[in-house]
Amino acid sequence: MPATAIVWLRRDLRIGDNPALHRAVARGERPVPLYVHSPGEEEPWSPGAASRWWLHYSLTSLDRQLRALGSGLILARGDSLATLRAAAQALGAEAVYWNRLYDPTLVARDSRIKQALRGEGLRCESLKANVLFEPWELATGTREPYRVFTAFWRKAAAQLGQGPPLSAPTALPPLPEGLLSLRMDALGLLPRIPWDGGLAATWDPGEPAALARLETFVDQAVAGYAQDRDLPGVVGTSRLSPHLHLGEVSPRQVLHAVADRVPGGLAGVAEPFVREIGWREFAHHLLYHFPRTPEEPLDPRFSAFPWRIGGAEALLAAWQRGHTGIPLVDAGMRELWHTGWMHNRERMVVASLLTKHLRLPWQAGARWFWDTLVDADLAANTLGWQWSAGCGADAAPYFRVFNPVRQGERFDPRGDYVRRWCPELAALPDRWVHQPWAAPEPIRQTAGVTLGRDYPTPIVDLAEARREALTAWDQQKGVVG
Ligand code: FAD
């Protein structure tokens, strides 16, 4: 009778290139895949509504895959340590394997669990699976964590050849008797009031869809990535982010597919895409070494920044709902609400408007993204928001304020993206579609756009708000010295 090993699955919802699952199989043990739903342990960053939606379908898909191999997924909810302990006892398991995560609260929890279970005689092993480099594997010449992406990436890019991904098992032993799984619905992941139609129409969670998306992107789109990646109206990026977040595909699988199938491998035409995978690594590096950054600016000068006080709630609500009256911003926020995803260029534009023109704290934006993004990821979201607000590592300086009209003219020149998400502006000529307030009245009338009725009047004057933001920045610089 082979020994039983619990494979504690978390954000590694795949059977291919899964080191924890592979370890049990390679040792000839009987793996028991277990998922424990314990959102309280992730506080204050337990998964938001869109992420929970994705998780529901990703777990469903993984269970289906495991069943096809002869096994299945055991679902539980509650305290992770107590659940693992009870499962190990019920199964007479000898080992627990899992793949590492790097969010500060989870690092602390997992260390505690490892210590406790080892103390009870269980073999516990955690493995590298979800990043190319553990956050402690790369350091500056003075053994400090990196704060600048170019230096980080120079070091990382020289070491990308990491061997092929682990192959997926072709069959697994059946689950043992005596350990009951919860039904998927019992995890309560789906919304009670259905608002998720747009998500379902846009996405297909789970490993098979992730691998198919990777394959299509690598074969058809990666060569055009450098020129298309900044155009929100074009499907020019991989859209792998939610799949990568929940580990339906590993970064090693992504790089392997590129190295294997794209002319020039990692350093050729696909290099700009590979570099973005590098940003994902950098984000994990920063979160691990600066664990307070989800709440606090990395640049301490921003702790005292004079964010707006009066009228903040109404402005935040208009931004959230895509009713700012600034088309490129509204298009992005509506895409986010409808699909749970937003193009990277748009994320930067809407974040700049929130933190600079509206002078609202970046944490408020990060929270909204957290609840609405299907790819909400503590490392990447924190990096993205601190970068946009000018207070993070390697950040865009606060005084560099994106002009959403110029951004629209440059990256959505024919207005396709804006027209898709703000159909009330569809009949405006290209020249005015990014600034309907500036269009001559007869042109607006012909296009059927009355500001304040069909489409909002802008909630800020862009030029004046920019000046105010720069004044706030100057005052603060004066305070800090
Ligand atoms: P591609 O361009 O195809 O890139 C491939 C992969 O590289 C992505 O799937 C992602 O895993 C990674 N990646 C790309 N850009 C970045 C980046 N700047 N930082 C870290 N990883 C990156 N990304 C998230 O995955 N989750 C978030 O919660 C998140 N929040 C963001 C918030 C803001 C304010 C900003 C400006 C960016 C944020 N990003 C976040 C980064 C980026 O916008 C998304 O990763 C990207 O848009 C996902 O689309 P894609 O998969 O088509 O990316």
Side-chain angles (χ1 to χ4, degrees), residues 58-304:
S58 188
L59 289 169
T60 308
S61 168
L62 182 64
D63 183 42
R64 202 179 306 126
Q65 283 181 282
L66 288 166
R67 281 170 194 268
L69 296 179
S71 177
L73 180 62
I74 302 278
L75 293 175
R77 68 182 300 167
D79 180 79
S80 295
L81 174 58
T83 309
L84 288 166
R85 188 182 273 144
Q89 263 167 16
L91 297 168
E94 291 178 13
V96 183
Y97 304 131
W98 66 80
N99 295 315
R100 277 193 278 277
L101 294 170
Y102 306 94
D103 299 7
T105 48
L106 300 184
V107 171
R109 177 197 68 179
D110 293 352
S111 318
R112 194 171 35 82
I113 290 181
K114 192 184 273 182
Q115 208 182 7
L117 293 180
R118 279 185 178 162
E120 291 160 27
L122 277 164
R123 211 159 16 86
C124 279
E125 287 180 42
S126 62
L127 298 118
K128 168 163 104 170
N130 299 324
V131 289
L132 300 166
F133 300 95
E134 310 265 22
W136 50 88
E137 280 177 345
L138 298 177
T140 66
T142 52
R143 306 304 306 157
E144 297 289 322
Y146 283 97
R147 285 167 172 255
V148 178
F149 175 74
T150 30
F152 172 85
W153 187 233
R154 203 175 307 123
K155 183 88 160 247
Q159 308 172 40
L160 286 180
Q162 304 201 341
L166 302 167
S167 50
T170 48
L172 288 171
L175 289 176
E177 310 267 312
L179 195 60
L180 287 182
S181 174
L182 291 178
R183 285 162 40 98
M184 192 64 67
D185 290 346
L187 302 189
L189 296 168
L190 291 180
R192 286 202 202 101
I193 304 163
W195 53 265
D196 51 336
L199 271 54
T202 311
W203 299 104
D204 189 3
E207 182 180 11
L211 294 177
R213 190 176 277 273
L214 172 62
E215 196 169 307
T216 310
F217 175 72
V218 164
D219 289 345
Q220 296 173 15
V222 79
Y225 182 82
Q227 84 225 19
D228 291 344
R229 55 174 294 219
D230 268 319
L231 309 176
V234 170
V235 182
T237 66
S238 70
R239 304 194 180 209
L240 281 170
S241 50
H243 299 290
L244 275 164
H245 171 69
L246 268 189
E248 296 168 357
V249 61
S250 73
R252 178 161 61 177
Q253 287 173 307
V254 173
L255 288 206
H256 189 255
V258 171
D260 214 29
R261 300 158 77 129
V262 182
L266 300 179
V269 69
E271 194 277 336
F273 170 71
V274 173
R275 179 179 284 264
E276 293 308 310
I277 301 293
W279 275 98
R280 180 179 181 276
E281 295 288 316
F282 186 48
H284 282 86
H285 181 84
L286 289 174
L287 179 61
Y288 181 82
H289 290 291
F290 304 100
R292 292 152 79 101
T293 49
E295 282 84 24
E296 292 173 17
L298 187 67
D299 179 343
R301 289 176 301 174
F302 277 81
S303 305

Side-chain angles (χ1 to χ4, degrees), residues 217 225 229 237-242 244-245 273 276-281 283 341-345 347-348 351 369-370 373 375-378 380-385 387-388:
F217 175 72
Y225 182 82
R229 55 174 294 219
T237 66
S238 70
R239 304 194 180 209
L240 281 170
S241 50
L244 275 164
H245 171 69
F273 170 71
E276 293 308 310
I277 301 293
W279 275 98
R280 180 179 181 276
E281 295 288 316
W341 187 86
M342 193 198 287
H343 191 278
N344 183 58
R345 170 69 33 193
R347 296 187 202 208
M348 295 192 292
F369 270 30
W370 187 255
L373 277 172
D375 66 20
D377 179 275
L378 197 58
N381 201 38
T382 302
L383 170 70
W385 276 98
W387 185 92
S388 302

Side-chain angles (χ1 to χ4, degrees), residues 27-39:
R27 291 217 169 123
E29 294 164 341
R30 177 174 62 168
V32 176
L34 171 68
Y35 183 85
V36 186
H37 186 53
S38 49

Side-chain angles (χ1 to χ4, degrees), residues 356 386-391 393-400 402:
K356 296 175 181 176
Q386 292 223 20
W387 185 92
S388 302
C391 60
D394 213 0
Y398 187 85
F399 55 78
R400 199 160 293 158
F402 278 17

Side-chain angles (χ1 to χ4, degrees), residues 341-371:
W341 187 86
M342 193 198 287
H343 191 278
N344 183 58
R345 170 69 33 193
E346 284 292 305
R347 296 187 202 208
M348 295 192 292
V349 168
V350 305
S352 173
L353 188 101
L354 186 87
T355 55
K356 296 175 181 176
H357 293 103
L358 302 184
R359 247 182 329 115
L360 296 175
W362 59 272
Q363 292 94 332
R367 268 287 163 199
W368 181 251
F369 270 30
W370 187 255
D371 208 32

